[in-house]
């Protein structure tokens, strides 16, 4: 199984489908590690080790991609931005963003953005079972609204078999999203890279692909998530 997965990784690599090839490299390496631990044949162990080293080198060489979203650009809805990395084996998602709250008029849409991100995860093709959110408390009177909204999202996700774990930190500053298949996405503006819609009935209010964006940078990184020998 490991050899077939790595063969597929090479084919995807040659076709310049680097994101998909990296996932296959990582899955294939994990399978070889399992096979190496299970065998008592020293010659096989040595061959597995050689292949693991070879394919680890290949996967390490293409782990970073940067996307530049220009001011007023469209076509960057969540599905378009994340779909390459939400493979079927994604079961957990970690979201770190200090501003999933709504105290100021300018940030009133942040909780809705998080809700729409969750809707994307529920639709698949990934099989997400747990979402971990780390954010900061809203300030002043907005905290009750924040907690009510997050609890409503949590309850709604439960109806789809998804658990939402919510934690708060007063010192969080970074914004990143991590998937359990090893992909990490860092967006300069977090989930809030869309401009405020002109009105409740303007094009782009519901469909984020049609919503103009604010300028930001997206860094996509494959983290070191293979099992250690």
């Amino acid at each position: 199984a490991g050899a077939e997965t790595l063969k597929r990784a090479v084919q995807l690599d040659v076709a310049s489908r680097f994101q998909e090839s990296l996932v296959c490299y990582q899955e294939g390496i994990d399978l070889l590690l399992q096979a190496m631990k299970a065998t008592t044949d020293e010659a096989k162990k040595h061959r597995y080790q050689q292949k693991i080293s070879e394919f680890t080198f290949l996967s390490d060489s293409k782990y970073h991609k940067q996307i530049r979203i220009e001011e007023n650009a469209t076509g960057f809805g969540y599905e378009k931005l994340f779909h390459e990395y939400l493979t079927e084996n994604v079961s957990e998602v970690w979201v770190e963003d200090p501003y999933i709250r709504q105290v100021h008029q300018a940030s009133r849409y942040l909780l809705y953005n998080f809700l729409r991100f969750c809707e994307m995860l529920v639709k698949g093709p990934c099989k997400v079972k747990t979402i971990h959110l780390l954010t900061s408390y809203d300030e002043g009177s907005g905290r009750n609204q924040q907690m009510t909204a997050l609890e409503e999202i949590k309850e709604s996700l439960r109806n789809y078999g998804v658990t939402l774990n919510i934690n708060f930190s007063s010192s969080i500053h970074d914004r990143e999203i991590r998937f359990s298949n090893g992909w990490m996405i860092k967006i300069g503006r977090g989930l809030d890279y869309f401009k405020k819609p002109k009105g409740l009935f303007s094009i782009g209010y519901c469909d984020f692909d049609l919503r103009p964006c604010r300028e930001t940078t997206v860094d996509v990184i494959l983290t070191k998530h293979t099992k250690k020998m």
Side-chain angles (χ1 to χ4, degrees), residues 67-85:
I67 303 166
R68 184 75 177 179
I69 299 178
E70 302 293 340
E71 186 78 7
N72 291 317
T74 57
F76 288 96
Y78 293 150
E79 285 87 353
K80 293 288 183 66
L81 191 61
F82 296 112
H83 81 279
E84 288 184 67
Y85 318 105

Tab-separated table of all heavy atoms in Angstrom, residues 67-85:
chain	number	residue	atom	x	y	z
A	67	ILE	N	0.183	32.661	-1.779
A	67	ILE	CA	-0.845	33.232	-2.637
A	67	ILE	C	-1.033	34.694	-2.256
A	67	ILE	O	-1.187	35.013	-1.075
A	67	ILE	CB	-2.186	32.480	-2.481
A	67	ILE	CG1	-2.006	30.990	-2.778
A	67	ILE	CG2	-3.267	33.095	-3.369
A	67	ILE	CD1	-3.185	30.149	-2.331
A	68	ARG	N	-1.005	35.552	-3.241
A	68	ARG	CA	-1.208	36.988	-2.992
A	68	ARG	C	-2.615	37.366	-3.454
A	68	ARG	O	-2.957	37.195	-4.630
A	68	ARG	CB	-0.173	37.805	-3.759
A	68	ARG	CG	-0.233	39.299	-3.503
A	68	ARG	CD	0.335	39.645	-2.156
A	68	ARG	NE	0.349	41.087	-1.917
A	68	ARG	CZ	0.776	41.637	-0.798
A	68	ARG	NH1	1.230	40.877	0.177
A	68	ARG	NH2	0.759	42.938	-0.641
A	69	ILE	N	-3.444	37.832	-2.544
A	69	ILE	CA	-4.789	38.290	-2.883
A	69	ILE	C	-4.739	39.812	-2.996
A	69	ILE	O	-4.403	40.505	-2.029
A	69	ILE	CB	-5.817	37.858	-1.826
A	69	ILE	CG1	-5.875	36.324	-1.739
A	69	ILE	CG2	-7.198	38.420	-2.166
A	69	ILE	CD1	-6.829	35.803	-0.679
A	70	GLU	N	-5.052	40.320	-4.164
A	70	GLU	CA	-4.980	41.757	-4.406
A	70	GLU	C	-6.227	42.467	-3.895
A	70	GLU	O	-7.293	41.857	-3.726
A	70	GLU	CB	-4.804	42.028	-5.908
A	70	GLU	CG	-3.583	41.398	-6.535
A	70	GLU	CD	-2.275	41.990	-6.028
A	70	GLU	OE1	-2.310	43.121	-5.483
A	70	GLU	OE2	-1.223	41.334	-6.180
A	71	GLU	N	-6.091	43.756	-3.662
A	71	GLU	CA	-7.216	44.588	-3.237
A	71	GLU	C	-8.334	44.522	-4.278
A	71	GLU	O	-8.087	44.642	-5.490
A	71	GLU	CB	-6.755	46.039	-3.059
A	71	GLU	CG	-7.792	46.987	-2.495
A	71	GLU	CD	-7.963	46.837	-0.983
A	71	GLU	OE1	-7.184	46.091	-0.350
A	71	GLU	OE2	-8.875	47.496	-0.444
A	72	ASN	N	-9.555	44.269	-3.821
A	72	ASN	CA	-10.763	44.193	-4.640
A	72	ASN	C	-10.836	42.947	-5.526
A	72	ASN	O	-11.751	42.835	-6.354
A	72	ASN	CB	-10.922	45.445	-5.514
A	72	ASN	CG	-11.240	46.678	-4.691
A	72	ASN	OD1	-12.055	46.630	-3.778
A	72	ASN	ND2	-10.587	47.781	-5.001
A	73	ALA	N	-9.908	42.015	-5.361
A	73	ALA	CA	-9.962	40.776	-6.142
A	73	ALA	C	-11.181	39.954	-5.728
A	73	ALA	O	-11.623	40.007	-4.580
A	73	ALA	CB	-8.690	39.965	-5.944
A	74	THR	N	-11.729	39.188	-6.668
A	74	THR	CA	-12.844	38.286	-6.375
A	74	THR	C	-12.433	36.860	-6.763
A	74	THR	O	-11.412	36.651	-7.399
A	74	THR	CB	-14.117	38.695	-7.137
A	74	THR	OG1	-13.837	38.721	-8.543
A	74	THR	CG2	-14.611	40.058	-6.688
A	75	GLY	N	-13.262	35.902	-6.372
A	75	GLY	CA	-12.965	34.511	-6.699
A	75	GLY	C	-12.170	33.790	-5.639
A	75	GLY	O	-11.584	32.741	-5.907
A	76	PHE	N	-12.148	34.337	-4.410
A	76	PHE	CA	-11.367	33.735	-3.330
A	76	PHE	C	-12.259	33.318	-2.159
A	76	PHE	O	-11.920	33.528	-0.997
A	76	PHE	CB	-10.279	34.700	-2.854
A	76	PHE	CG	-9.154	34.871	-3.842
A	76	PHE	CD1	-9.153	35.938	-4.729
A	76	PHE	CD2	-8.125	33.953	-3.900
A	76	PHE	CE1	-8.125	36.097	-5.648
A	76	PHE	CE2	-7.090	34.095	-4.810
A	76	PHE	CZ	-7.097	35.180	-5.695
A	77	GLY	N	-13.416	32.738	-2.468
A	77	GLY	CA	-14.252	32.190	-1.412
A	77	GLY	C	-13.530	31.066	-0.694
A	77	GLY	O	-12.517	30.534	-1.174
A	78	TYR	N	-14.044	30.676	0.459
A	78	TYR	CA	-13.367	29.661	1.270
A	78	TYR	C	-13.196	28.338	0.521
A	78	TYR	O	-12.154	27.691	0.612
A	78	TYR	CB	-14.137	29.419	2.568
A	78	TYR	CG	-14.134	30.592	3.517
A	78	TYR	CD1	-15.207	30.813	4.376
A	78	TYR	CD2	-13.060	31.480	3.569
A	78	TYR	CE1	-15.213	31.889	5.256
A	78	TYR	CE2	-13.062	32.553	4.433
A	78	TYR	CZ	-14.149	32.764	5.273
A	78	TYR	OH	-14.150	33.819	6.143
A	79	GLU	N	-14.224	27.916	-0.227
A	79	GLU	CA	-14.116	26.657	-0.967
A	79	GLU	C	-12.966	26.700	-1.959
A	79	GLU	O	-12.191	25.745	-2.082
A	79	GLU	CB	-15.425	26.342	-1.700
A	79	GLU	CG	-16.536	25.844	-0.799
A	79	GLU	CD	-17.349	26.983	-0.205
A	79	GLU	OE1	-16.957	28.156	-0.390
A	79	GLU	OE2	-18.371	26.711	0.447
A	80	LYS	N	-12.827	27.814	-2.688
A	80	LYS	CA	-11.765	27.934	-3.680
A	80	LYS	C	-10.391	27.946	-3.016
A	80	LYS	O	-9.433	27.374	-3.541
A	80	LYS	CB	-11.960	29.227	-4.487
A	80	LYS	CG	-13.195	29.235	-5.371
A	80	LYS	CD	-13.037	28.314	-6.568
A	80	LYS	CE	-14.250	28.381	-7.476
A	80	LYS	NZ	-14.437	29.697	-8.123
A	81	LEU	N	-10.290	28.579	-1.861
A	81	LEU	CA	-8.994	28.733	-1.209
A	81	LEU	C	-8.536	27.445	-0.524
A	81	LEU	O	-7.348	27.108	-0.532
A	81	LEU	CB	-9.063	29.866	-0.181
A	81	LEU	CG	-7.728	30.334	0.409
A	81	LEU	CD1	-6.809	30.878	-0.690
A	81	LEU	CD2	-7.955	31.399	1.455
A	82	PHE	N	-9.477	26.704	0.061
A	82	PHE	CA	-9.099	25.564	0.907
A	82	PHE	C	-9.311	24.188	0.277
A	82	PHE	O	-8.818	23.195	0.819
A	82	PHE	CB	-9.889	25.609	2.222
A	82	PHE	CG	-9.588	26.791	3.083
A	82	PHE	CD1	-10.547	27.777	3.286
A	82	PHE	CD2	-8.356	26.935	3.698
A	82	PHE	CE1	-10.282	28.875	4.098
A	82	PHE	CE2	-8.077	28.029	4.504
A	82	PHE	CZ	-9.037	29.001	4.703
A	83	HIS	N	-10.018	24.090	-0.842
A	83	HIS	CA	-10.473	22.775	-1.310
A	83	HIS	C	-9.327	21.811	-1.621
A	83	HIS	O	-9.459	20.597	-1.452
A	83	HIS	CB	-11.392	22.924	-2.528
A	83	HIS	CG	-10.659	23.109	-3.818
A	83	HIS	ND1	-10.159	24.330	-4.230
A	83	HIS	CD2	-10.323	22.216	-4.797
A	83	HIS	CE1	-9.563	24.200	-5.395
A	83	HIS	NE2	-9.641	22.941	-5.770
A	84	GLU	N	-8.182	22.332	-2.084
A	84	GLU	CA	-7.053	21.462	-2.420
A	84	GLU	C	-6.530	20.699	-1.203
A	84	GLU	O	-5.971	19.615	-1.337
A	84	GLU	CB	-5.902	22.284	-3.002
A	84	GLU	CG	-6.128	22.811	-4.395
A	84	GLU	CD	-4.900	23.520	-4.916
A	84	GLU	OE1	-3.868	22.845	-5.131
A	84	GLU	OE2	-4.955	24.754	-5.094
A	85	TYR	N	-6.708	21.267	-0.037
A	85	TYR	CA	-6.080	20.726	1.167
A	85	TYR	C	-7.062	19.955	2.052
A	85	TYR	O	-6.641	19.269	2.980
A	85	TYR	CB	-5.448	21.875	1.965
A	85	TYR	CG	-4.733	22.839	1.041
A	85	TYR	CD1	-5.276	24.080	0.733
A	85	TYR	CD2	-3.547	22.464	0.416
A	85	TYR	CE1	-4.648	24.939	-0.147
A	85	TYR	CE2	-2.907	23.317	-0.473
A	85	TYR	CZ	-3.473	24.554	-0.754
A	85	TYR	OH	-2.851	25.394	-1.640
